[in-house]
Structures are given as C-alpha cells and as structure tokens.
C-alpha cells in the first residue's frame, strides 16, 4: 500500500458551513496546524487540511442547502482532563465530563461550536480482557458507562 507521507490509512473529513471558523477552533483547542487551504472567488473553502497530533483532518465548506453533517471524532491525548478543559475554554460545550471507563481510558466528550463531537481520550492503564470483564459488573464502572451512554449528543436548543 502506498500512502502519502504524513497521512494514515483513514483520514476523516469534516464538512460544515464555516470551515475557517472550525480551523481557528481546532488551533485553539487542539494545537492543530493548518497545512493547506483552497478557496474559491467567493472565499468559500473547497479544501483544507490540518494536522492534529499525528493525524491529518480534511475539511471543506458545505454547499448551500446541505443538511448538517456533524463529524464524530476520537482524539487520543496525553491528558484528557487538560485537553477537555482547553476544548471547552476555546468555545466547545462539554457533553460528558472526563470519566474513567472500564477498558482503561479516561474519556470526555466536547461538541465544538460547529456541531462536531470530539471523544477526548487518554489511555491511563492497560487492562487485560479478564479484568475488563470483571469491571463490566463493577458498580463504579457500570455507573460510569451509564453516565457516558446517557449523554444527549444533540440537546434541543
């Protein structure tokens, strides 16, 4: 397989009405680095790329009349609590606070100002399959899963 340098096997696309604003948010929230931006004569972004960590995320402005197409993205970071806090400070909305889950990750979710949902995660421990199975009936971990699974991704305004 021949993958261009700097890309991974899967590259997500985020499509929305304000790609320029999204790029600014991603820079503030996740230290994204803008790699490219192609605009038309009206200033609409037809293609843009940013790097977040070791991943490239592509995006473009949606065409007039397109329905909202929010992206759901998982972002692994060294410190989920700090990254979650920063994403909210940059203008995002917390969907779930950072929570320790049974498979060994601390996970929090933030909806960015453009409707995309970010799973912000940090691996804090390696958990064996046997331990995961035990944790799935542990009240601490079952309560944590109930909390994250009960979140309303799209609350009514």
């Amino acid at each position: 397989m021949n993958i261009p340098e700097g890309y991974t096997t899967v590259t997500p696309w985020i499509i929305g009405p304000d790609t320029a604003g999204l790029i600014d948010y991603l820079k503030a929230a996740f230290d994204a680095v803008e790699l490219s931006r192609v605009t038309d004569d009206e200033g609409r972004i037809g293609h843009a790329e940013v790097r977040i960590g070791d991943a490239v995320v592509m995006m473009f402005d949606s065409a007039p009349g397109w329905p909202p197409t929010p992206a759901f993205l998982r972002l692994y970071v060294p410190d989920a609590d700090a990254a979650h806090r920063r994403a909210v400070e940059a203008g995002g909305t917390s969907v779930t606070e950072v929570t320790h889950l049974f498979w060994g990750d601390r996970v929090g979710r933030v909806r960015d100002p453009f409707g995309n949902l970010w799973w912000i995660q940090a691996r804090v421990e390696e958990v064996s399959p046997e331990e995961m199975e035990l944790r799935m009936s542990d009240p601490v971990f079952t309560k944590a899963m109930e909390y994250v699974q009960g979140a309303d991704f799209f609350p009514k305004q």
Side-chain angles (χ1 to χ4, degrees):
M1 181 167 24
N2 192 8
I3 299 171
E5 186 176 335
Y7 292 81
T8 55
T9 305
V10 175
T11 302
W13 283 92
I14 302 176
I15 303 162
D18 184 6
T19 299
L22 175 61
I23 291 169
D24 290 341
Y25 174 79
L26 296 176
K27 288 176 180 179
F30 305 128
D31 288 327
V33 175
E34 186 172 340
L35 302 176
S36 65
R37 182 186 301 213
V38 178
T39 58
D40 65 16
D41 293 339
E42 297 172 4
R44 291 177 35 84
I45 296 176
H47 181 85
E49 297 183 11
V50 300
R51 179 173 306 286
I52 302 172
D54 64 355
V56 171
V57 179
M58 295 184 182
M59 56 200 71
F60 63 88
D61 286 329
S62 55
W66 280 19
T69 55
F72 285 39
L73 301 121
R74 175 185 283 184
L75 175 64
Y76 270 101
V77 296
D79 181 339
D81 296 273
H84 183 276
R85 190 169 40 255
R86 184 172 174 191
V88 170
E89 289 169 356
T93 302
S94 180
V95 174
T96 56
E97 295 301 317
V98 178
T99 305
H100 189 163
L101 298 175
F102 71 90
W103 63 85
D105 285 4
R106 287 186 51 74
V107 180
R109 293 177 290 195
V110 172
R111 185 180 314 94
D112 70 28
F114 307 93
N116 304 298
L117 194 64
W118 296 83
W119 271 254
I120 300 171
Q121 298 189 215
R123 176 61 47 99
V124 294
E125 62 179 329
E126 296 300 324
V127 180
S128 71
E130 297 79 18
E131 179 64 20
M132 274 191 242
E133 189 170 329
L134 288 172
R135 287 180 175 192
M136 288 171 55
S137 61
D138 179 326
V140 169
F141 289 105
T142 57
K143 185 175 180 179
M145 282 304 293
E146 287 170 7
Y147 166 65
V148 298
Q149 289 177 333
D152 186 357
F153 291 169
F154 303 105
K156 306 296 180 264
Q157 301 294 345

